[in-house]
Amino acid sequence: MSRHRNVRGYNYDEDFEDDDVYGQSVEDDYCISPSTAAQFIYSRRDKPAMCAEPLEEEGYGYEARLNSCLDQMREVLAESVPEQKMVQAVLDSKFDVQKALDLVLSQGSKQNVKTKNEDTVTVGKTTKEFQRNPGGANVLQFNGKARDSQSARMESEIVPKITKMTVSGKKQSMGFEVPCVIAEENGHANTPQKGLLTEDASVASGVLQAVSKSALLPQVAQVSEEQNMVPTPVKKSSKTKLQIDVKAELEKRQGGKQLLNLVVIGHVDAGKSTLMGHLLYLLGNVNKRTMHKYEQESKKAGKASFAYAWVLDETGEERERGVTMDVGMTKFETKTKVITLMDAPGHKDFIPNMITGAAQADVAILVVDASRGEFEAGFETGGQTREHGLLVRSLGVTQLAVAVNKMDQVNWQQERFQEITSKLGQFLKQAGFKESDVAYIPTSGLGGENLVTRGQSSDLTQWYKGKCLLEQIDSFKPPQRSVDKPFRLCVADVFKDQGSGFCVTGKIEAGYIQVGERLLAMPPNETCTAKGITLHDEPVDWAAAGDHVSLTLTGMDIIKINVGCVFCDPKEPIKVCTRFRARVLIFNIEVPITKGFPVLLHYQTISEPATIRKLLSVLHKSTGEVTKKKPKFLSKGQNALIELQTQRPVALELYKDFKELGRFMLRYSGSTIAAGVVTEIKE
Ligand code: GDP
């Protein structure tokens, strides 16, 4: 995926001068998505007619307005529509780019649309109609207006919601170091126009930088998840807080659908983004206009086959204020579940970010390339198929769907499918997956076969009668959530919003939270109040373990909060330490580990430099008995008890108390060398 960024970044690079990576998020002009930062969303909320009003205010002339609209349209349509047609559409739609685009794109199918959807009206009357019928929930809530969510969905208006976890090449800090830039960065909130420019510039310059920087310094990349919405603070004081039965409420929520966090992993180029992008498209989560834009742009870049991949990759590029987007997040629904999808990077330079994504996942899809030679390349030592498989298992994922992808490349041959599944099966068993928890699905991400409906090709149906990918996702069992435990949320991103407070995003690992509750942040050991909670872009009164949320906080200085801080229940706080003991499983390492060995501790959303302070004992793999005390070194495959010392304080939990918060990974020089669980917190 990094490869596309390079190509994309190249195209944009020269258009922008400012390379301030902390510029405000700005998304693609046409795909309205909540991944923008606060002020930008605000500026658009009331102005769906994008270019008309601001230009008028600024006194632009008629021609300038027309040109500006045409430029924006060209970004979507490229050269596929004659200029005259575009001009006519702009004039007909009274300089409303969005409507003009709809007009042009729907011209071919206008008749059909009209008969299907009475709400489709002639241009001129459209403003109201489009606002009334803007493609269902996504747009409704984004525009921030109290609109009728029951209004008919117009397929062409459906927009993808994509959030990104970013690696900011310029933010080279780790752990809890507070980059004072955060304040500056958020200061852009008051300067929307500037934010607009800096973001684009940051994307442009960042795309190129990201690959090289991350290649040089993969271990120091700081991961931050940017949620794509501005939480609307719900005014409610703690006095009026109601006691809720969370378990009962959870069952009723989302129309009774369970929430599931899904990460997509696999070797670079296995087809992860294409597969999931196409799945989202087939599910109707991507509008036709956006898809058309990607098709045009990917064609222009000479990479037509990447159009679907850009649904997940590309949108983020244009929206992120960071340099590289790493884990794309979006939401879709199956029959019985609401899925938060995380598309993890496959390139080995981005494994730290993949770890963060996987740490927040309940289940995983491992994508492998069925083409001859390609599966083998990903599977052998150095390929990411094994490393990713091992990582997700070590991070607590127990259920796996293996998408044996690009089956079209091997003519849907059953023999090839079996060859791959038997090789992978053995490995996954060794990695700790139960056979019954792993499902293999033949797919073609590019062709869209066996994704949301069962494959029709006779080459497939003659030997495969199993589930399609969506059915498999639907049949995953949601894990037990620790809603009964004290509240814990590990911060994945911090940003300033419009109001008095600031926002943090992250996954609630344990417990639940209600609006108005007091929270303790560790470190810095300070309290604040949760003024608002947002889940999947909707303001909610409460949220519970397993939810990816955004909290609006007041009563604390934003400067004190960093990625990696844990918000917890003040009555039962999380412990903070620099020294702890752990049981580790040593991976396939070449150099034995000795006392004083420097490592990078990957824990939840942080990566913190640490040293192996003591080698306490070697343990028997299955019984856990001590087989050797104070070993001189640890070698591959060994189980051991060690003591770790971190540079700065980290908030940790014992594995026995909080499984979700007691796991970590150790990396050294770009390789994962061990997975561990916290057994004792020292000081
Ligand atoms: P990622 O790095 O794993 O996200 O892979 P991408 O989604 O970027 O895909 C890499 C390349 O494989 C692109 O050129 C895709 O068009 C191509 N590709 C993806 N899925 C398929 C498939 O099912 N069949 C074929 N023939 N090509 C595919």
Side-chain angles (χ1 to χ4, degrees):
M1 286 186 280
S2 52
R3 196 175 6 76
H4 329 148
R5 286 178 205 127
N6 217 345
V7 175
R8 308 280 306 143
Y10 195 77
N11 284 341
Y12 283 87
D13 204 27
E14 59 203 29
D15 294 339
F16 305 96
E17 290 149 31
D18 191 341
D19 71 348
D20 174 9
V21 293
Y22 298 108
Q24 198 59 65
S25 280
V26 175
E27 88 278 40
D28 160 57
D29 274 347
Y30 309 101
C31 10
I32 301 169
S33 151
S35 80
T36 48
Q39 98 292 353
F40 190 62
I41 291 176
Y42 181 74
S43 69
R44 286 197 175 176
R45 275 186 173 169
D46 305 318
K47 292 175 181 162
M50 276 175 289
C51 76
E53 289 183 61
L55 287 174
E56 231 154 53
E57 277 161 23
E58 289 159 30
Y60 278 69
Y62 175 84
E63 202 181 324
R65 282 174 66 183
L66 181 63
N67 283 337
S68 163
C69 292
L70 289 176
D71 283 348
Q72 292 182 57
M73 288 183 75
R74 270 188 216 107
E75 275 186 41
V76 178
L77 303 167
E79 305 302 326
S80 65
V81 176
E83 179 153 332
Q84 213 179 343
K85 235 181 182 178
M86 289 201 278
V87 171
Q88 193 56 48
V90 171
L91 296 178
D92 286 350
S93 62
K94 298 202 168 68
F95 295 88
D96 183 330
V97 177
Q98 220 171 32
K99 276 184 275 166
L101 279 166
D102 282 325
L103 195 65
V104 170
L105 287 173
S106 65
Q107 255 163 11
S109 55
K110 207 166 177 182
Q111 284 311 108
N112 292 342
V113 177
K114 260 199 154 175
T115 49
K116 271 192 215 149
N117 189 340
E118 288 303 310
D119 277 344
T120 309
V121 292
T122 49
V123 184
K125 272 202 281 173
T126 48
T127 309
K128 271 197 183 147
E129 295 295 331
F130 268 77
Q131 286 182 352
R132 188 160 62 80
N133 182 21
N138 292 352
V139 177
L140 287 177
Q141 50 83 24
F142 181 77
N143 283 341
K145 295 261 170 87
R147 289 174 187 155
D148 179 11
S149 61
Q150 299 304 313
S151 59
R153 285 169 72 88
M154 184 182 285
E155 200 260 345
S156 68
E157 282 291 310
I158 296 171
V159 293
K161 299 191 212 177
I162 304 210
T163 309
K164 294 285 172 177
M165 292 184 185
T166 64
V167 177
S168 299
K170 284 197 176 175
K171 286 190 204 170
Q172 300 264 321
S173 57
M174 291 162 289
F176 296 110
E177 200 166 76
V178 184
C180 30
V181 178
I182 283 181
E184 262 173 52
E185 165 192 351
N186 294 312
H188 286 304
N190 299 325
T191 54
Q193 291 307 325
K194 189 177 173 203
L196 216 141
L197 292 170
T198 51
E199 158 60 14
D200 280 348
S202 75
V203 168
S205 62
V207 169
L208 288 175
Q209 285 171 22
V211 177
S212 54
K213 280 199 180 181
S214 300
L216 289 172
L217 286 167
Q219 70 276 40
V220 294
Q222 180 185 5
V223 179
S224 77
E225 175 192 346
E226 181 179 357
Q227 284 285 23
N228 49 12
M229 56 273 186
V230 182
T232 312
V234 180
K235 285 201 175 100
K236 208 175 178 191
S237 80
S238 48
K239 281 179 205 154
T240 59
K241 210 175 75 186
L242 298 168
Q243 277 305 315
I244 53 165
D245 178 352
V246 181
K247 286 196 171 154
E249 292 294 326
L250 269 173
E251 279 176 18
K252 280 188 264 165
R253 196 173 65 173
Q254 307 274 356
K257 290 189 176 184
Q258 298 151 319
L259 289 191
L260 194 70
N261 300 301
L262 168 79
V263 68
V264 184
I265 54 170
H267 191 67
V268 64
D269 276 357
K272 298 178 291 299
S273 304
T274 304
L275 187 78
M276 299 319 288
H278 206 150
L279 184 115
L280 290 174
Y281 178 67
L282 293 174
L283 285 174
N285 287 28
V286 186
N287 67 1
K288 266 189 190 155
R289 203 166 55 207
T290 310
M291 209 54 242
H292 186 81
K293 178 176 183 282
Y294 296 149
E295 275 165 18
Q296 292 297 329
E297 291 187 344
S298 54
K299 243 186 242 164
K300 229 160 77 180
K303 299 262 176 190
S305 65
F306 285 118
Y308 289 114
W310 284 3
V311 170
L312 280 163
D313 286 355
E314 157 68 2
T315 44
E317 272 173 17
E318 295 196 356
R319 291 170 195 169
E320 272 308 307
R321 60 182 173 202
V323 172
T324 310
M325 63 300 314
D326 283 39
V327 183
M329 290 181 69
T330 189
K331 179 191 123 175
F332 66 91
E333 294 193 21
T334 65
K335 224 189 263 170
T336 64
K337 298 193 173 61
V338 177
I339 310 286
T340 302
L341 166 72
M342 292 171 278
D343 181 30
H347 196 280
K348 67 177 163 47
D349 289 346
F350 298 103
I351 282 194
N353 315 306
M354 180 260 158
I355 293 176
T356 303
Q360 301 185 34
D362 305 315
V363 295
I365 296 178
L366 170 65
V367 183
V368 295
D369 185 341
S371 328
R372 303 222 169 265
E374 292 302 325
F375 167 73
E376 287 72 14
F379 192 57
E380 67 200 19
T381 325
Q384 266 60 67
T385 308
R386 279 172 191 268
E387 187 167 11
H388 280 192
L390 212 53
L391 281 174
V392 288
R393 184 63 197 89
S394 307
L395 289 165
V397 170
T398 55
Q399 301 171 72
L400 193 67
V402 179
V404 182
N405 195 33
K406 306 199 191 179
M407 281 297 289
D408 55 305
Q409 293 279 51
V410 293
N411 302 321
W412 300 92
Q413 269 172 21
Q414 184 179 15
E415 297 74 40
R416 181 63 176 159
F417 181 77
Q418 281 170 343
E419 184 189 348
I420 289 171
T421 55
S422 77
K423 277 187 190 164
L424 263 178
Q426 280 174 13
F427 163 72
L428 293 172
K429 209 168 151 190
Q430 281 167 11
F433 286 99
K434 274 195 215 157
E435 249 171 81
S436 57
D437 285 338
V438 180
Y440 299 90
I441 297 126
T443 57
S444 168
L446 198 59
E449 261 156 298
N450 218 23
L451 303 190
V452 301
T453 50
R454 295 192 180 193
Q456 298 300 313
S457 144
S458 59
D459 292 337
L460 173 67
T461 49
Q462 60 186 335
W463 58 268
Y464 184 78
K465 309 268 180 271
K467 292 176 177 136
C468 65
L469 191 61
L470 193 70
E471 286 174 312
Q472 179 53 44
I473 296 171
D474 189 55
S475 65
F476 278 129
K477 296 181 281 290
Q480 279 289 321
R481 309 270 185 217
S482 308
V483 281
D484 297 328
K485 293 192 175 162
F487 180 76
R488 300 284 186 266
L489 175 140
C490 193
V491 175
D493 196 13
V494 189
F495 57 95
K496 187 87 181 78
D497 81 339
Q498 291 278 304
S500 52
F502 64 96
C503 300
V504 295
T505 63
K507 182 184 160 205
I508 302 179
E509 293 293 347
Y512 67 95
I513 183 177
Q514 278 180 269
V515 169
E517 253 174 56
R518 296 287 295 164
L519 292 175
L520 176 70
M522 293 288 270
N525 195 13
E526 286 201 22
T527 52
C528 59
T529 305
K531 212 171 109 195
I533 307 170
T534 311
L535 172 71
H536 286 145
D537 312 340
E538 309 273 0
V540 289
D541 290 342
W542 62 274
D547 296 346
H548 276 270
V549 290
S550 178
L551 305 180
T552 307
L553 304 169
T554 52
M556 184 187 273
D557 191 347
I558 184 174
I559 207 82
K560 301 208 168 127
I561 297 302
N562 253 317
V563 168
C565 288
V566 177
F567 279 89
C568 55
D569 181 346
K571 289 191 217 100
E572 295 177 82
I574 190 168
K575 292 176 203 75
V576 170
C577 69
T578 55
R579 207 150 60 79
F580 65 95
R581 292 188 170 184
R583 182 175 170 166
V584 291
L585 167 68
I586 310 294
F587 287 178
N588 212 352
I589 51 167
E590 279 158 23
V591 185
I593 294 173
T594 48
K595 194 174 144 183
F597 201 86
V599 289
L600 206 65
L601 170 77
H602 285 272
Y603 172 73
Q604 293 292 320
T605 50
I606 58 161
S607 42
E608 174 70 14
T611 4
I612 296 181
R613 200 166 176 269
K614 285 182 185 164
L615 303 180
L616 298 161
S617 53
V618 176
L619 306 172
H620 188 276
K621 264 190 198 158
S622 33
T623 64
E625 277 168 32
V626 175
T627 55
K628 190 173 185 181
K629 281 191 176 165
K630 294 190 181 168
K632 287 263 178 299
F633 61 87
L634 298 174
S635 49
K636 68 174 163 191
Q638 278 186 325
N639 250 270
L641 209 56
I642 61 168
E643 190 170 300
L644 281 150
Q645 172 96 48
T646 57
Q647 263 182 20
R648 284 162 296 187
V650 286
L652 287 176
E653 288 289 359
L654 296 180
Y655 178 70
K656 71 175 173 62
D657 296 339
F658 286 82
K659 277 205 167 78
E660 305 83 352
L661 289 164
R663 298 176 198 272
F664 63 88
M665 311 296 297
L666 296 179
R667 289 179 50 87
Y668 171 72
S669 181
S671 308
T672 308
I673 58 166
V677 295
V678 182
T679 55
E680 194 181 338
I681 292 172
K682 300 298 272 187
E683 59 191 42

